[in-house]
């Protein structure tokens, strides 16, 4: 048994933000039916192609455990099929451009009329307001949500992060909203509309930077390296380089091999509780009691000097040796792991965080599995569907159309050519 067994999801999502959400629902056991334009499908199937003729990794890594039906929702018969799907499903998830669903003739009011129990979940770039009609992609959301202005170094431009906090981050937020709405429906019997704006999701993840924005009114942010360096603060939360958001002094430091390996670095934190141990490890025992070093406030204007000294030590060790020495002493450090190192980490395969999946067109590929582990709802990662692979079975088994009716639907052009499910 899976947590969301029996829940049917009409997955009208594309690109990254929506598909990450419905992929989680599928991993939790929902029957996720991905509706795609006949002959075209989700645009990511053909983006960043590495194996000609096969669905891209962009698509296959975001659409595990789903079924695919080709359906033209602008064709009259297609609209009738979509209406049946809305009647059958518990949840509809979409991330079209603002107004696209209304233009198809499926406003929230209409969807509620068709199925009052349905939960309709939408991702848009912005919430209601002056930017509500904009189409939005990942980096736009990172910029609008306050992440870019607070990421990077003080003397450099704003920087976007590689983690897709705008797309996948919003998908996660929407998933929480959907499951919460399903829980409320148990008591109310009614569906509801769930909305997550990408700007809002990024801002939520950048919450500590809004904390600092307000703290600026009370004076400079003393835990920022900038303070110790005597650089004045302006009116907005500044970029803090690799300082930690939690207020403990921390930096990324070179390790042995940094000259040739771009990831031979470690993160190193010197919180008060472990200061004395840090001093011993780096060979500066006098700093434990020396004036100017013995307490955290005294150290603030010497952080560059202190971290330079620690780096002299980390450069004599690999990033893993740094861990081996510091972890037993509770000194918080973290190796900067490359994607190659992560892809080769057997421990992550043992937990299902990394998985190997077979695919009929591309053979075996690596994917990131479900990062949320439920002890009573085991996740088995299955390959993504081929375009329209399940059109026939969804029309007959989910929607109950007869063979003759299915032939009429095909003849109307509402769905693509029926295909047999691949192995
Ligand atoms: N049958 C018929 N038409 C379909 C269809 C189907 N099965 N699926 C989609 N379409 C149509 C839509 O109805 C829309 O038509 P109209 O323009 O006539 O309304 C058209 O395809 C294009 O949809 P779109 O505007 O959503 O797609 P786009 O490529 O132009 O924009 C994106 C993409 C992501 C910018 C936009 O969808 C968006 O802003 N989404 C919300 C924010 C979001 O999720 N962004 C993250 C994306 S991941 O980086």
């Amino acid at each position: 048994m899976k947590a969301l067994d029996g829940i049917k999801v009409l997955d009208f999502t594309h690109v990254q933000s929506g598909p990450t959400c419905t992929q989680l629902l599928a991993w939790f056991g929902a029957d996720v039916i991905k509706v795609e334009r006949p002959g075209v499908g989700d645009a990511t199937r053909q983006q960043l192609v590495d194996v000609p003729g096969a669905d891209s990794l962009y698509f296959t890594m975001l659409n595990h455990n789903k079924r695919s039906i080709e359906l033209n929702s602008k064709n009259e018969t297609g609209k009738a099929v979509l209406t049946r799907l809305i009647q059958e499903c518990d949840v509809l998830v979409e991330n079209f451009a603002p107004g696209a669903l209304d233009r198809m003739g499926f406003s929230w009011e209409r969807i509620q009329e068709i199925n009052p129990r349905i939960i309709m979940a939408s991702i848009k770039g912005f919430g209601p307001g002056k930017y509500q009609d904009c189409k939005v992609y990942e980096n736009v959301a990172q910029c609008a949500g306050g992440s870019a202005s607070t990421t990077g170094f003080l003397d450099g431009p704003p920087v976007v992060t590689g983690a897709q906090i705008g797309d996948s981050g919003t998908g996660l937020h929407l998933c929480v909203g959907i499951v919460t709405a399903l829980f409320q429906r148990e008591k109310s019997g009614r569906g509801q509309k769930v909305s997550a704006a990408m700007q809002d999701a990024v801002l939520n993840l950048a919450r500590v930077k809004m904390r600092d924005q307000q703290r600026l009114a009370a004076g400079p942010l003393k835990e920022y390296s900038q303070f110790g360096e005597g650089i004045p603060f302006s009116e907005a939360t500044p970029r803090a380089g690799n300082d930690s958001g939690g207020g403990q002094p921390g930096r990324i430091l070179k390790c042995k091999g940094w000259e040739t390996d771009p990831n031979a670095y470690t993160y190193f934190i010197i919180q008060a509780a472990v200061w004395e141990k840090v001093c011993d490890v780096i060979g500066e025992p006098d700093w434990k009691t020396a004036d100017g070093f013995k307490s955290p406030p005294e150290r603030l204007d010497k952080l560059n000097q202190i971290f330079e000294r620690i780096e002299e030590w980390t450069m004599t060790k690999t990033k893993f040796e740094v861990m081996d020495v510091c972890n037993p002493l509770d000194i918080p450090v973290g190796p900067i792991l490359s994607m190659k190192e992560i892809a080769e980490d057997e421990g992550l395969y043992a937990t299902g965080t990394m998985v190997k999946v077979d695919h009929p067109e591309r053979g075996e590929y690596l994917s990131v599995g479900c990062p949320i582990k439920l002890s009573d709802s085991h996740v088995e990662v299955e390959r993504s569907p081929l375009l329209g692979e399940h059109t026939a079975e969804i029309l007959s088994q989910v929607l109950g159309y007869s063979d003759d009716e299915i032939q009429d639907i095909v003849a109307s052009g509402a769905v693509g050519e029926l295909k047999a499910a691949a192995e």
Side-chain angles (χ1 to χ4, degrees):
M1 185 191 166
K2 303 266 170 70
L4 295 183
D5 265 349
I7 297 296
K8 285 199 199 74
V9 177
L10 195 177
D11 180 8
F12 229 163
T13 69
H14 65 154
V15 204
Q16 186 184 160
S17 63
T20 52
C21 167
T22 50
Q23 179 166 261
L24 283 169
L25 296 172
W27 279 336
F28 295 149
D31 179 7
V32 175
I33 299 168
K34 185 166 175 107
V35 177
E36 300 184 79
R37 214 174 334 185
V40 182
D42 188 324
T44 57
R45 286 185 185 269
Q46 298 308 320
Q47 283 175 3
L48 308 175
V49 169
D50 59 322
V51 178
D55 284 332
S56 70
L57 287 167
Y58 197 6
F59 179 83
T60 52
M61 291 179 70
L62 287 165
N63 289 284
H64 290 289
N65 296 60
K66 304 180 184 178
R67 298 201 273 175
S68 166
I69 175 174
E70 284 175 288
L71 185 67
N72 183 348
S73 56
K74 289 183 173 167
N75 162 304
E76 279 316 308
T77 306
K79 282 183 202 288
V81 174
L82 189 61
T83 303
R84 285 274 275 270
L85 268 170
I86 294 170
Q87 279 164 346
E88 276 301 315
C89 287
D90 300 274
V91 182
L92 183 161
V93 191
E94 63 94 18
N95 68 313
F96 289 125
L101 211 53
D102 298 87
R103 286 192 288 280
M104 275 180 212
F106 291 93
S107 63
W108 168 225
E109 291 70 27
R110 174 75 190 116
I111 287 168
Q112 270 178 304
E113 263 170 36
I114 300 168
N115 179 359
R117 279 178 60 81
I118 202 162
I119 287 148
M120 174 172 143
S122 299
I123 290 176
K124 299 289 167 254
F126 293 94
K130 57 187 171 180
Y131 299 127
Q132 66 187 18
D133 293 328
C134 296
K135 290 188 175 186
V136 169
Y137 289 97
E138 171 69 45
N139 288 348
V140 176
Q142 288 200 25
C143 294
S147 176
S149 71
T150 53
T151 303
F153 287 87
L154 197 56
D155 56 359
V159 172
V160 294
T161 164
Q164 304 285 281
I165 58 176
D167 280 338
S168 291
T170 311
L172 266 169
H173 282 79
L174 194 72
C175 187
V176 173
I178 290 168
V179 179
T180 306
L182 280 169
F183 189 67
Q184 187 173 359
R185 193 181 73 169
E186 290 295 303
K187 288 170 265 175
S188 71
R190 288 189 311 277
Q192 61 182 301
K193 185 162 170 21
V194 179
S195 307
M198 294 169 74
Q199 180 186 38
D200 299 4
V202 171
L203 176 57
N204 186 35
L205 297 174
R207 180 173 288 264
V208 297
K209 300 296 176 179
M210 186 57 83
R211 171 201 68 192
D212 293 349
Q213 178 61 41
Q214 297 177 84
R215 289 173 58 228
L216 274 173
L221 307 172
K222 293 188 179 161
E223 77 283 11
Y224 280 54
S225 293
Q226 171 181 352
F227 175 75
E229 290 163 354
I231 302 171
F233 284 76
S234 64
E235 288 183 341
T237 307
R239 292 188 266 290
N242 290 318
D243 290 349
S244 99
Q248 302 297 341
R251 296 274 174 92
I252 288 185
L253 305 178
K254 291 171 184 156
C255 293
K256 195 193 242 174
W258 67 273
E259 298 91 338
T260 51
D261 176 356
N263 295 305
Y265 288 83
T266 186
Y267 200 87
F268 202 109
I269 302 173
I270 51 166
Q271 64 203 81
V274 295
W275 173 243
E276 300 199 345
K277 292 176 189 170
V278 172
C279 294
D280 286 335
V281 162
I282 62 171
E284 295 287 353
D286 294 349
W287 282 1
K288 290 192 252 185
T289 50
D291 282 344
F293 288 88
K294 62 183 182 306
S295 71
E298 290 174 277
R299 294 196 283 271
L300 286 176
D301 64 353
K302 297 177 195 67
L303 290 179
N304 287 349
Q305 179 192 349
I306 290 168
F307 279 114
E308 274 165 28
R309 178 66 191 89
I310 298 173
E311 193 171 54
E312 275 176 33
W313 176 76
T314 57
M315 281 162 66
T316 67
K317 305 258 176 296
T318 69
K319 60 191 176 188
F320 299 110
E321 288 167 349
V322 170
M323 262 210 131
D324 291 344
V325 174
C326 292
N327 267 1
L329 300 172
D330 292 331
I331 301 172
V333 292
I336 307 303
L337 295 182
S338 69
M339 280 297 168
K340 182 170 185 295
E341 287 165 329
I342 293 171
E344 291 166 355
D345 184 340
E346 288 305 321
L348 294 176
Y349 292 89
T351 60
T353 295
M354 284 295 300
V355 288
K356 290 178 182 159
V357 187
D358 214 10
H359 189 277
E361 289 174 339
R362 51 178 312 120
E364 190 179 82
Y365 66 100
L366 302 187
S367 194
V368 180
C370 184
I372 303 163
K373 320 289 184 195
L374 275 68
S375 67
D376 211 12
S377 183
H378 183 65
V379 174
E380 285 130 39
V381 178
E382 290 166 14
R383 69 166 173 85
S384 59
L386 302 178
L387 177 60
E389 184 177 347
H390 306 100
T391 302
E393 71 179 46
I394 290 165
L395 290 175
S396 63
Q397 291 166 21
V398 179
L399 303 180
Y401 286 112
S402 67
D403 289 349
D404 287 350
E405 287 172 318
I406 292 175
Q407 276 182 13
D408 291 345
I409 292 169
V410 174
S412 77
V415 296
E417 256 176 54
L418 298 187
K419 298 156 189 156
E423 285 303 304

